[in-house]
Amino acid sequence: MTVMEQRGAYRPTPPPAWQPRTDPAPLLPDAEPYRVLGTEAAAKADPELLRRLYTELVKGRRYNAQATALTKQGRLAVYPSSTGQEACEVAAALVLAEQDWLFPSYRDTLAVVARGVDPVEALTLLRGDWHTGYDPHEHRVAPLSTPLATQLPHAVGLAHAARLKGDDVVALAMVGDGGTSEGDFHEALNFAAVWQAPVVFLVQNNGFAISVPLAKQTAAPSLAHKAVGYGMPGRLVDGNDAAAVHEVLADAVRRARAGGGPTLVEAITYRVEAHTNADDATRYRGDAEVETWKQHDPIALLEHELTGRGLLDETGVETARQDAETMAASLRARMNQDPALDPMDLFTHVYAEPTPQLLEQREQLRAELAAEAEPEGAQR
Amino acid sequence: MTVMEQRGAYRPTPPPAWQPRTDPAPLLPDAEPYRVLGTEAAAKADPELLRRLYTELVKGRRYNAQATALTKQGRLAVYPSSTGQEACEVAAALVLAEQDWLFPSYRDTLAVVARGVDPVEALTLLRGDWHTGYDPHEHRVAPLSTPLATQLPHAVGLAHAARLKGDDVVALAMVGDGGTSEGDFHEALNFAAVWQAPVVFLVQNNGFAISVPLAKQTAAPSLAHKAVGYGMPGRLVDGNDAAAVHEVLADAVRRARAGGGPTLVEAITYRVEAHTNADDATRYRGDAEVETWKQHDPIALLEHELTGRGLLDETGVETARQDAETMAASLRARMNQDPALDPMDLFTHVYAEPTPQLLEQREQLRAELAAEAEPEGAQR
Amino acid sequence: MTTVAVKPATMAQALTRAMRDAMAADPSVHVMGEDVGTLGGVFRVTDGLAEEFGEDRCTDTPLAEAGILGTAVGMAMYGLRPVVEMQFDAFAYPAFEQLVSHVAKTRNRTRGKMPLPLTIRVPYGGGIGGVEHHSDSSEAYYMATPGLHVVTPATVADAYGLLRAAIASDDPVVFLEPKRLYWSKDSWNPEEPTAVEPIGRAVVRRSGRSATLITYGPSLPVCMEAAEAARAEGWDLEVVDLRSLVPFDDETVCASVRRTGRAVVVHESGGFGGPGGEIAARVTERCFHHLEAPVLRVAGFDLPYPPPMLERHHLPGVDRILDAVGRLQWEAES
Amino acid sequence: MTTVAVKPATMAQALTRAMRDAMAADPSVHVMGEDVGTLGGVFRVTDGLAEEFGEDRCTDTPLAEAGILGTAVGMAMYGLRPVVEMQFDAFAYPAFEQLVSHVAKTRNRTRGKMPLPLTIRVPYGGGIGGVEHHSDSSEAYYMATPGLHVVTPATVADAYGLLRAAIASDDPVVFLEPKRLYWSKDSWNPEEPTAVEPIGRAVVRRSGRSATLITYGPSLPVCMEAAEAARAEGWDLEVVDLRSLVPFDDETVCASVRRTGRAVVVHESGGFGGPGGEIAARVTERCFHHLEAPVLRVAGFDLPYPPPMLERHHLPGVDRILDAVGRLQWEAES
Ligand SMILES: Cc1ncc(C[n+]2csc(CCOP(=O)(O)OP(=O)(O)O)c2C)c(N)n1
Ligand SMILES: Cc1ncc(C[n+]2csc(CCOP(=O)(O)OP(=O)(O)O)c2C)c(N)n1
Ligand SMILES: [Mg+2]
Ligand SMILES: [Mg+2]
């Protein structure tokens, strides 16, 4: 029977299977980044939380400054400062419950420290030691990830595994604006949405990927607009407003914990320092832009709010500053010691058990080190 | 000066740099797939085009049937049929101007043939011969791409290169619903939007990636909703409505040609046959679903429209069918000949000039073939 | 090994059985990949697992290999033991960064704090008439990546035993499955599955005195055939099946070569930069004074895998192996 | 080669000059990658190119390596000659599928109809105190991929000459730049840039009679130093700089080894499955009866690249090379 023959019965219909899988409207970000400080919403924020955030912001900035100083003294191989982005760093750490996991990117030392990791251990990689000075399981902080966006699928897998085991665990994964261009970003968000994994993606849009400005990175209305394409909500927040970042992340974490699936949060912020101490930012941006952003400083914003509402006085500011100095002094002192590394450790953790090949190589190194240690005359 | 000291002057402002890069609204797809056939829009469609589409659809379906038959006869190693998806295949080919480029996925033999490539040459890969029987430059058709989504960045690069050279060239790249999950999909769309490359992405959402249904592939409201996350328009179209697919693609091609940048088009369609002749679709889907879709058949839809409007009569249908039969007979006959392959060709095109290593290996094979050719007694 | 099978099973079935037994024994074992669930995999190697253990234990993932491996890494971080299927050799490449920069390195960079017990199953190699991208031999990439174990069975019994071992390993294992042996059968008895094989031991599949053929995976049957054929030429060939490329069993291989004094490495992966170079070099380093001739290599040519109609000219066959054996300087030359 | 330089330039500067000259000579040459434009690259190797030729000729791309290489493939399909910069060795891995499945295969699968004249610059190797993922030696992966040329300069002159040749090549070239030689200088005179070097020729950097050190890229200076030091031990070492790993210059290498009778391959890439296995194996195949000792290898250990504070123990240094030379059986053993 040709179609002609059955024509009488045939009725064009819409494609039978199609229906929107979800309503797109609630997944789209608001037109403006969400703000709390300086708005009416600030009245509803928990003063305790705001003060806690403030203390951590001040400490964070001081940490960045100290770490950058340590690079100049050759005590750190390299340091990517998050000055200007402290609100994101600190809120990401504080928003998590104890059993939750943080998946930081290479710039997120502050978040790692705010989560409880020892400030020196958090710098292990950057001082040129074996990567993870900290035990990832102790504070549930994954190793800082250098290959961009590769940590995102890890966060999804971990959150998914926890859910399968029936554990109440949320994973929060951090990535930069540049990192959103990587395929791993896409694949991670898609897996997360399909699996409805309890994971929150925090994009710190700090305007640059090294020298490359956002306009060369994406043409999207905002990075948060990517969320709808995965079927998860996208949220836009003022990344320098610690209260706003915390609130938006807290909502997302709550949603994830309740089985509502993943959220993508874009925090608009700015990298005030160069990419790392080795970078020369004057090559690609002007001072004027930096100055504008300094006018929108996360610490100043919060301090203004707190003092304006009588939640913080000069003493409070001074105390926070003192705490930060104490931390910095301790960091400086502890970082002045060279870490003790044993070359024989090269072979210890490649596998659970070294292969016969590694055992041979270990013996070779052992012999070399012994020869080196011999008195001068005995050497070649 | 601490922030406290400058407090009087300090005013919280919104993040200075942020503004939506583009208005998201026009980038979002309509709530329903666009349709032409059976709607008022059909009246505006060019009858010549509709007839042309019809002829090609009928030929396409016959081609699929013939190719599948050839797998049973061992004349083709494998064939992924696009039966049920002919409207997308044909429209994609016909919408392009001569100088434009088509980047097909492995299922898109019909589009390749409709673009003008010899029907036998288009099967070169699938019959087990060297990949590209056709010269990609002759009809501006890239080699069929087997690794999913990898052809998409190629299309972007080619379109971008053409634009840099000042040439009037649009690239149209085809990919499946499953392919949209790959990182290359993401990276290609992002590059296209950032570069405003003249490229059109056509996703044939046929409901499955081998056995995996769309619901396990994405949680997005639609695949077209991904577009806004790149800053390009997303369009949703009834993929079995050849007139609608053609119109939506033509708009996108026109836009690209005019310098308006890329478009993502999602065509809702259905793979009526198994994934390939080697697949057993009953393992993962029921007959009922297939039957529903057969009620929304692209050929029937168009035939209904054309005959209903007096643009096609029994003779026209018969002519189309005859044409298709002629093509199929010729295909069958020509495919009955074994292609002549020269083993020495193994070494010819690895590099422009064979390396010394390949020259040695070529001599080895030459000697082996000579030994094989020797009379039985002379052999080992 | 030589138990008589009640009803012989294919290598594919032995692999299925290995996963099934591992999943039954350990609830942390999860199978994941493209089409592994409802369909049971394009080679049906995961057939029945989703039905028996549920979709959460045998999961059809979205179509994205970096995502598959990357999420598996996260699952392993949380203590699961993911078994990932890459649908074909060439389709594992999108996951290369995850493999090299994370899977292979995570134990080391966390000083043992975060081991990744992960198995990555990769059907590999040619000889099944596959179109391009479906017949790559990618073992050289994995061998050159410290931190991975690289294992490949050549017999049905090993398919079972080695896959169990891979899944039980606390380290990531790239488990290479020779596609063209999926349908092979031997004496393995599915009623009495073999014990878990330790990873890292080669085995002498055939004893001989004239020369050693060193091989693995898809080339083992070819070498066994060649060894049979060689008898007519008066050569008594020993055949060593490596089974594990990393770690490498220098002991077994070198013991054989010291005995025979001659060796040919056989694999279908391209020769240049392929596994054979490493094997020949290390055997020579260790057995130089026992060698009557250089260790020769018989491998695929150095080209992108050819189309089905030409693959027989590319793949090392019996004749090519015997030619190489013939070049092992049976009479002393200058 | 031995022209006296007016003002010596670094290898980084020679590379910049090569691109600049190529771009000036041929409008189809396009440079692209992360931070190559405004910043001039993180190693400043593309410094000034965007300024001189415009952003369309030297383009800051989005941060996505598969996208960079994939779009470069498309550009090459249209007749451009893209020169892609991968920011660091390990950050080329996301582009692995594009590299293996397309870049390496497209000429072959289109039977020569669609050549891809592409240069992929990859800064590689360690020794600069880089944190993890910044010091990988990935040449083994590229060598094992037929269809690619793999080239690496060890001198400033070669940096210029070989990069010009790579860009001029009608085939894809993986151009490996030894990071720690970026700031090295030698006698190359930027006022009189060297002629384009043909790809595929090794060169004897130092003549000697006792044994041959076979090396390339970052290990050449170490080998030269070792050869100097060896004089004190009474060894007169020849040093061969391969310059091109694919194609491989068997002729030059084997001529040297036949002369000296002994050889050590030196590279910092991991030993197991690394380039040295291939090199040792092929030299042995070709020179067996000239060898007084097995070809030995001095390589990085088989581990993920270690942290800066330990890298000196990992990298092949002068002592380790001399130890190996010492094991070349200078008095006959059993
Ligand atoms: C896969 C990968 N490619 C390239 C790099 C090199 N790289 C390090 S940081 C960086 C820029 C990152 O930008 P963004 O994601 O915006 O993070 P930000 O530095 O702004 O925090 C680049 C290109 C890398 N680490 N990983
Ligand atoms: C990178 C990659 N991974 C896996 C495959 C194997 N494979 C071939 S077709 C297919 C399903 C593709 O689904 P879709 O993109 O929806 O296209 P369709 O088959 O429906 O046309 C898969 C998984 C492949 N070809 N490439
Ligand atoms: Mg950034
Ligand atoms: Mg599909």
Side-chain angles (χ1 to χ4, degrees), chain A residues 85 106-107 146-148 175-179 182 204 206 208-210 271 275, chain C residues 97, chain D residues 34-35 63 65 87-88 91 94 134:
Chain A
Q85 306 177 216
Y106 74 104
R107 194 181 295 287
T146 301
L148 298 167
V175 68
D177 48 312
E182 290 282 4
Q204 286 188 64
N206 64 3
F208 286 91
I210 309 186
R271 195 193 73 212
H275 169 65
Chain C
E97 182 189 31
Chain D
E34 294 157 8
D35 303 288
L63 208 170
E65 294 78 9
Q87 201 161 76
F88 280 87
F91 307 144
H134 289 78

mmCIF file of all heavy atoms in Angstrom, chain A residues 85 106-107 146-148 175-179 182 204 206 208-210 271 275, chain C residues 97, chain D residues 34-35 63 65 87-88 91 94 134, ligand 1:
data_model
loop_
_atom_site.group_PDB
_atom_site.id
_atom_site.type_symbol
_atom_site.label_atom_id
_atom_site.label_comp_id
_atom_site.label_asym_id
_atom_site.label_seq_id
_atom_site.Cartn_x
_atom_site.Cartn_y
_atom_site.Cartn_z
ATOM 1 N N GLN A 85 38.136 38.101 44.490
ATOM 2 C CA GLN A 85 37.168 37.019 44.346
ATOM 3 C C GLN A 85 36.891 36.325 45.683
ATOM 4 O O GLN A 85 36.322 35.226 45.709
ATOM 5 C CB GLN A 85 37.694 35.981 43.338
ATOM 6 C CG GLN A 85 38.079 36.550 41.996
ATOM 7 C CD GLN A 85 38.676 35.540 41.025
ATOM 8 O OE1 GLN A 85 39.568 35.861 40.255
ATOM 9 N NE2 GLN A 85 38.213 34.299 41.060
ATOM 10 N N TYR A 106 42.332 25.310 40.341
ATOM 11 C CA TYR A 106 43.680 25.655 40.818
ATOM 12 C C TYR A 106 43.741 27.023 41.512
ATOM 13 O O TYR A 106 44.680 27.305 42.221
ATOM 14 C CB TYR A 106 44.658 25.622 39.637
ATOM 15 C CG TYR A 106 44.471 26.811 38.738
ATOM 16 C CD1 TYR A 106 45.372 27.852 38.772
ATOM 17 C CD2 TYR A 106 43.356 26.924 37.924
ATOM 18 C CE1 TYR A 106 45.171 28.981 37.994
ATOM 19 C CE2 TYR A 106 43.153 28.028 37.144
ATOM 20 C CZ TYR A 106 44.059 29.046 37.178
ATOM 21 O OH TYR A 106 43.856 30.151 36.436
ATOM 22 N N ARG A 107 42.770 27.895 41.272
ATOM 23 C CA ARG A 107 42.833 29.213 41.902
ATOM 24 C C ARG A 107 42.159 29.234 43.278
ATOM 25 O O ARG A 107 42.166 30.264 43.949
ATOM 26 C CB ARG A 107 42.175 30.278 40.994
ATOM 27 C CG ARG A 107 42.505 31.727 41.410
ATOM 28 C CD ARG A 107 41.838 32.771 40.550
ATOM 29 N NE ARG A 107 42.316 32.730 39.187
ATOM 30 C CZ ARG A 107 43.513 33.156 38.789
ATOM 31 N NH1 ARG A 107 44.360 33.653 39.670
ATOM 32 N NH2 ARG A 107 43.877 33.054 37.543
ATOM 33 N N THR A 146 44.366 21.266 38.214
ATOM 34 C CA THR A 146 45.051 22.150 37.275
ATOM 35 C C THR A 146 44.479 22.043 35.864
ATOM 36 O O THR A 146 44.238 23.060 35.224
ATOM 37 C CB THR A 146 46.556 21.860 37.293
ATOM 38 O OG1 THR A 146 47.035 22.058 38.627
ATOM 39 C CG2 THR A 146 47.313 22.785 36.361
ATOM 40 N N PRO A 147 44.283 20.841 35.339
ATOM 41 C CA PRO A 147 43.676 20.771 33.991
ATOM 42 C C PRO A 147 42.242 21.280 34.088
ATOM 43 O O PRO A 147 41.423 20.724 34.819
ATOM 44 C CB PRO A 147 43.729 19.281 33.653
ATOM 45 C CG PRO A 147 44.703 18.672 34.636
ATOM 46 C CD PRO A 147 44.589 19.504 35.876
ATOM 47 N N LEU A 148 41.952 22.325 33.372
ATOM 48 C CA LEU A 148 40.716 23.061 33.588
ATOM 49 C C LEU A 148 39.480 22.225 33.307
ATOM 50 O O LEU A 148 39.407 21.502 32.308
ATOM 51 C CB LEU A 148 40.717 24.321 32.718
ATOM 52 C CG LEU A 148 41.863 25.283 33.070
ATOM 53 C CD1 LEU A 148 42.012 26.343 31.988
ATOM 54 C CD2 LEU A 148 41.650 25.923 34.425
ATOM 55 N N VAL A 175 34.796 26.404 38.957
ATOM 56 C CA VAL A 175 35.451 26.498 37.648
ATOM 57 C C VAL A 175 35.459 27.959 37.232
ATOM 58 O O VAL A 175 34.644 28.751 37.723
ATOM 59 C CB VAL A 175 34.724 25.597 36.615
ATOM 60 C CG1 VAL A 175 33.333 26.132 36.309
ATOM 61 C CG2 VAL A 175 35.523 25.440 35.329
ATOM 62 N N GLY A 176 36.394 28.304 36.354
ATOM 63 C CA GLY A 176 36.471 29.690 35.896
ATOM 64 C C GLY A 176 35.665 29.919 34.629
ATOM 65 O O GLY A 176 35.171 28.978 34.010
ATOM 66 N N ASP A 177 35.542 31.163 34.239
ATOM 67 C CA ASP A 177 34.829 31.479 32.996
ATOM 68 C C ASP A 177 35.510 30.795 31.809
ATOM 69 O O ASP A 177 34.859 30.231 30.933
ATOM 70 C CB ASP A 177 34.755 32.994 32.777
ATOM 71 C CG ASP A 177 36.087 33.691 32.972
ATOM 72 O OD1 ASP A 177 36.752 33.424 33.991
ATOM 73 O OD2 ASP A 177 36.483 34.495 32.110
ATOM 74 N N GLY A 178 36.833 30.807 31.786
ATOM 75 C CA GLY A 178 37.547 30.132 30.708
ATOM 76 C C GLY A 178 37.243 28.650 30.688
ATOM 77 O O GLY A 178 37.023 28.053 29.622
ATOM 78 N N GLY A 179 37.214 28.053 31.863
ATOM 79 C CA GLY A 179 36.956 26.612 31.969
ATOM 80 C C GLY A 179 35.622 26.190 31.391
ATOM 81 O O GLY A 179 35.454 25.033 30.987
ATOM 82 N N GLU A 182 35.597 24.390 27.950
ATOM 83 C CA GLU A 182 36.110 23.032 27.766
ATOM 84 C C GLU A 182 34.971 22.016 27.614
ATOM 85 O O GLU A 182 33.929 22.127 28.273
ATOM 86 C CB GLU A 182 36.956 22.618 28.978
ATOM 87 C CG GLU A 182 38.275 23.346 29.113
ATOM 88 C CD GLU A 182 39.354 22.802 28.160
ATOM 89 O OE1 GLU A 182 39.059 21.915 27.343
ATOM 90 O OE2 GLU A 182 40.491 23.293 28.254
ATOM 91 N N GLN A 204 33.146 31.037 38.579
ATOM 92 C CA GLN A 204 33.618 32.376 38.926
ATOM 93 C C GLN A 204 33.990 33.064 37.634
ATOM 94 O O GLN A 204 35.051 32.806 37.058
ATOM 95 C CB GLN A 204 34.841 32.299 39.828
ATOM 96 C CG GLN A 204 34.527 31.878 41.249
ATOM 97 C CD GLN A 204 35.752 32.023 42.140
ATOM 98 O OE1 GLN A 204 36.249 33.118 42.350
ATOM 99 N NE2 GLN A 204 36.235 30.906 42.631
ATOM 100 N N ASN A 206 35.469 35.813 36.310
ATOM 101 C CA ASN A 206 36.299 36.947 36.745
ATOM 102 C C ASN A 206 36.816 37.747 35.548
ATOM 103 O O ASN A 206 37.785 38.480 35.639
ATOM 104 C CB ASN A 206 37.467 36.459 37.613
ATOM 105 C CG ASN A 206 38.420 35.559 36.843
ATOM 106 O OD1 ASN A 206 38.234 35.351 35.639
ATOM 107 N ND2 ASN A 206 39.433 35.036 37.508
ATOM 108 N N PHE A 208 38.412 37.142 32.874
ATOM 109 C CA PHE A 208 39.584 36.755 32.086
ATOM 110 C C PHE A 208 39.956 35.290 32.262
ATOM 111 O O PHE A 208 39.775 34.715 33.333
ATOM 112 C CB PHE A 208 40.808 37.590 32.507
ATOM 113 C CG PHE A 208 40.743 38.996 32.016
ATOM 114 C CD1 PHE A 208 40.166 39.983 32.796
ATOM 115 C CD2 PHE A 208 41.220 39.331 30.752
ATOM 116 C CE1 PHE A 208 40.082 41.282 32.337
ATOM 117 C CE2 PHE A 208 41.138 40.629 30.293
ATOM 118 C CZ PHE A 208 40.562 41.618 31.081
ATOM 119 N N ALA A 209 40.492 34.741 31.202
ATOM 120 C CA ALA A 209 41.198 33.466 31.262
ATOM 121 C C ALA A 209 42.634 33.826 30.864
ATOM 122 O O ALA A 209 42.918 34.026 29.684
ATOM 123 C CB ALA A 209 40.602 32.455 30.307
ATOM 124 N N ILE A 210 43.502 33.925 31.856
ATOM 125 C CA ILE A 210 44.803 34.566 31.665
ATOM 126 C C ILE A 210 44.552 35.901 30.963
ATOM 127 O O ILE A 210 43.952 36.781 31.558
ATOM 128 C CB ILE A 210 45.836 33.654 30.956
ATOM 129 C CG1 ILE A 210 45.922 32.259 31.663
ATOM 130 C CG2 ILE A 210 47.231 34.309 30.991
ATOM 131 C CD1 ILE A 210 47.013 31.323 31.145
ATOM 132 N N ARG A 271 39.199 39.415 38.695
ATOM 133 C CA ARG A 271 40.513 39.050 39.199
ATOM 134 C C ARG A 271 41.337 40.329 39.273
ATOM 135 O O ARG A 271 41.778 40.849 38.247
ATOM 136 C CB ARG A 271 41.150 38.059 38.214
ATOM 137 C CG ARG A 271 42.355 37.313 38.743
ATOM 138 C CD ARG A 271 43.070 36.629 37.593
ATOM 139 N NE ARG A 271 43.770 37.608 36.772
ATOM 140 C CZ ARG A 271 43.970 37.506 35.468
ATOM 141 N NH1 ARG A 271 43.505 36.483 34.798
ATOM 142 N NH2 ARG A 271 44.632 38.448 34.825
ATOM 143 N N HIS A 275 47.164 37.117 36.578
ATOM 144 C CA HIS A 275 46.775 35.700 36.555
ATOM 145 C C HIS A 275 47.523 34.899 37.617
ATOM 146 O O HIS A 275 46.935 34.168 38.410
ATOM 147 C CB HIS A 275 47.054 35.141 35.155
ATOM 148 C CG HIS A 275 46.961 33.661 35.065
ATOM 149 N ND1 HIS A 275 45.789 32.976 35.262
ATOM 150 C CD2 HIS A 275 47.911 32.722 34.802
ATOM 151 C CE1 HIS A 275 46.009 31.669 35.122
ATOM 152 N NE2 HIS A 275 47.284 31.501 34.846
ATOM 153 N N GLU C 97 42.466 12.808 28.186
ATOM 154 C CA GLU C 97 42.933 13.711 29.237
ATOM 155 C C GLU C 97 42.551 13.184 30.618
ATOM 156 O O GLU C 97 43.371 13.178 31.540
ATOM 157 C CB GLU C 97 42.354 15.117 29.044
ATOM 158 C CG GLU C 97 42.857 16.094 30.099
ATOM 159 C CD GLU C 97 42.136 17.425 30.073
ATOM 160 O OE1 GLU C 97 40.951 17.457 29.720
ATOM 161 O OE2 GLU C 97 42.775 18.438 30.422
ATOM 162 N N GLU D 34 45.514 29.488 22.876
ATOM 163 C CA GLU D 34 45.147 30.218 24.088
ATOM 164 C C GLU D 34 46.208 31.275 24.395
ATOM 165 O O GLU D 34 47.390 30.947 24.529
ATOM 166 C CB GLU D 34 45.016 29.240 25.257
ATOM 167 C CG GLU D 34 43.846 28.269 25.078
ATOM 168 C CD GLU D 34 43.986 26.978 25.874
ATOM 169 O OE1 GLU D 34 44.910 26.866 26.698
ATOM 170 O OE2 GLU D 34 43.173 26.063 25.646
ATOM 171 N N ASP D 35 45.815 32.510 24.484
ATOM 172 C CA ASP D 35 46.701 33.609 24.886
ATOM 173 C C ASP D 35 47.815 33.906 23.886
ATOM 174 O O ASP D 35 48.786 34.579 24.241
ATOM 175 C CB ASP D 35 47.333 33.322 26.264
ATOM 176 C CG ASP D 35 46.289 33.078 27.346
ATOM 177 O OD1 ASP D 35 45.640 34.058 27.732
ATOM 178 O OD2 ASP D 35 46.102 31.923 27.773
ATOM 179 N N LEU D 63 38.989 28.776 25.352
ATOM 180 C CA LEU D 63 39.843 27.852 26.091
ATOM 181 C C LEU D 63 39.346 26.413 25.920
ATOM 182 O O LEU D 63 38.615 25.900 26.780
ATOM 183 C CB LEU D 63 39.817 28.270 27.561
ATOM 184 C CG LEU D 63 41.034 27.961 28.425
ATOM 185 C CD1 LEU D 63 40.902 28.676 29.758
ATOM 186 C CD2 LEU D 63 41.286 26.501 28.575
ATOM 187 N N GLU D 65 40.913 22.898 23.907
ATOM 188 C CA GLU D 65 41.952 22.407 23.007
ATOM 189 C C GLU D 65 41.412 21.561 21.864
ATOM 190 O O GLU D 65 41.920 21.628 20.735
ATOM 191 C CB GLU D 65 43.006 21.632 23.805
ATOM 192 C CG GLU D 65 43.796 22.499 24.776
ATOM 193 C CD GLU D 65 43.055 22.851 26.066
ATOM 194 O OE1 GLU D 65 41.963 22.279 26.293
ATOM 195 O OE2 GLU D 65 43.548 23.688 26.837
ATOM 196 N N GLN D 87 49.114 25.101 25.027
ATOM 197 C CA GLN D 87 49.835 25.918 26.007
ATOM 198 C C GLN D 87 50.902 25.131 26.772
ATOM 199 O O GLN D 87 51.993 25.638 27.020
ATOM 200 C CB GLN D 87 48.855 26.577 26.965
ATOM 201 C CG GLN D 87 49.423 27.785 27.652
ATOM 202 C CD GLN D 87 48.333 28.678 28.234
ATOM 203 O OE1 GLN D 87 47.740 28.379 29.260
ATOM 204 N NE2 GLN D 87 48.044 29.761 27.551
ATOM 205 N N PHE D 88 50.576 23.904 27.125
ATOM 206 C CA PHE D 88 51.541 23.007 27.765
ATOM 207 C C PHE D 88 51.247 21.586 27.287
ATOM 208 O O PHE D 88 50.129 21.284 26.875
ATOM 209 C CB PHE D 88 51.398 23.032 29.297
ATOM 210 C CG PHE D 88 52.053 24.210 29.960
ATOM 211 C CD1 PHE D 88 51.368 25.399 30.112
ATOM 212 C CD2 PHE D 88 53.347 24.121 30.429
ATOM 213 C CE1 PHE D 88 51.975 26.491 30.731
ATOM 214 C CE2 PHE D 88 53.956 25.207 31.051
ATOM 215 C CZ PHE D 88 53.271 26.395 31.201
ATOM 216 N N PHE D 91 48.160 19.861 28.355
ATOM 217 C CA PHE D 91 46.916 20.496 27.931
ATOM 218 C C PHE D 91 46.645 20.238 26.453
ATOM 219 O O PHE D 91 45.671 20.751 25.887
ATOM 220 C CB PHE D 91 46.925 21.988 28.268
ATOM 221 C CG PHE D 91 47.254 22.222 29.733
ATOM 222 C CD1 PHE D 91 48.007 23.300 30.138
ATOM 223 C CD2 PHE D 91 46.828 21.306 30.687
ATOM 224 C CE1 PHE D 91 48.318 23.490 31.485
ATOM 225 C CE2 PHE D 91 47.134 21.476 32.038
ATOM 226 C CZ PHE D 91 47.883 22.576 32.438
ATOM 227 N N PRO D 94 43.304 17.034 25.762
ATOM 228 C CA PRO D 94 41.896 17.123 25.370
ATOM 229 C C PRO D 94 41.707 17.056 23.849
ATOM 230 O O PRO D 94 40.629 16.726 23.374
ATOM 231 C CB PRO D 94 41.457 18.500 25.900
ATOM 232 C CG PRO D 94 42.410 18.823 26.992
ATOM 233 C CD PRO D 94 43.715 18.185 26.601
ATOM 234 N N HIS D 134 52.546 20.266 33.962
ATOM 235 C CA HIS D 134 53.282 21.268 33.189
ATOM 236 C C HIS D 134 54.642 20.752 32.718
ATOM 237 O O HIS D 134 55.465 21.540 32.263
ATOM 238 C CB HIS D 134 53.477 22.544 34.009
ATOM 239 C CG HIS D 134 52.225 23.331 34.206
ATOM 240 N ND1 HIS D 134 51.275 22.984 35.116
ATOM 241 C CD2 HIS D 134 51.748 24.452 33.600
ATOM 242 C CE1 HIS D 134 50.273 23.854 35.071
ATOM 243 N NE2 HIS D 134 50.530 24.749 34.163
HETATM 244 C C1 LIG E 1 43.050 21.911 29.940
HETATM 245 C C2 LIG E 1 43.848 23.123 30.262
HETATM 246 N N1 LIG E 1 44.185 23.977 29.281
HETATM 247 C C3 LIG E 1 44.960 25.044 29.528
HETATM 248 C C4 LIG E 1 45.409 25.310 30.788
HETATM 249 C C5 LIG E 1 46.343 26.505 31.050
HETATM 250 N N2 LIG E 1 45.644 27.527 31.853
HETATM 251 C C6 LIG E 1 45.792 27.592 33.177
HETATM 252 S S1 LIG E 1 44.803 28.756 33.863
HETATM 253 C C7 LIG E 1 44.192 29.208 32.381
HETATM 254 C C8 LIG E 1 43.118 30.245 32.323
HETATM 255 C C9 LIG E 1 41.910 29.849 33.130
HETATM 256 O O1 LIG E 1 40.905 30.805 33.029
HETATM 257 P P1 LIG E 1 39.575 30.678 33.878
HETATM 258 O O2 LIG E 1 38.971 29.336 33.672
HETATM 259 O O3 LIG E 1 38.736 31.841 33.572
HETATM 260 O O4 LIG E 1 40.055 30.696 35.399
HETATM 261 P P2 LIG E 1 40.801 31.892 36.123
HETATM 262 O O5 LIG E 1 42.256 31.773 35.812
HETATM 263 O O6 LIG E 1 40.226 33.155 35.648
HETATM 264 O O7 LIG E 1 40.544 31.640 37.565
HETATM 265 C C10 LIG E 1 44.775 28.468 31.364
HETATM 266 C C11 LIG E 1 44.500 28.641 29.940
HETATM 267 C C12 LIG E 1 45.033 24.406 31.795
HETATM 268 N N3 LIG E 1 45.406 24.556 33.057
HETATM 269 N N4 LIG E 1 44.260 23.329 31.507
#
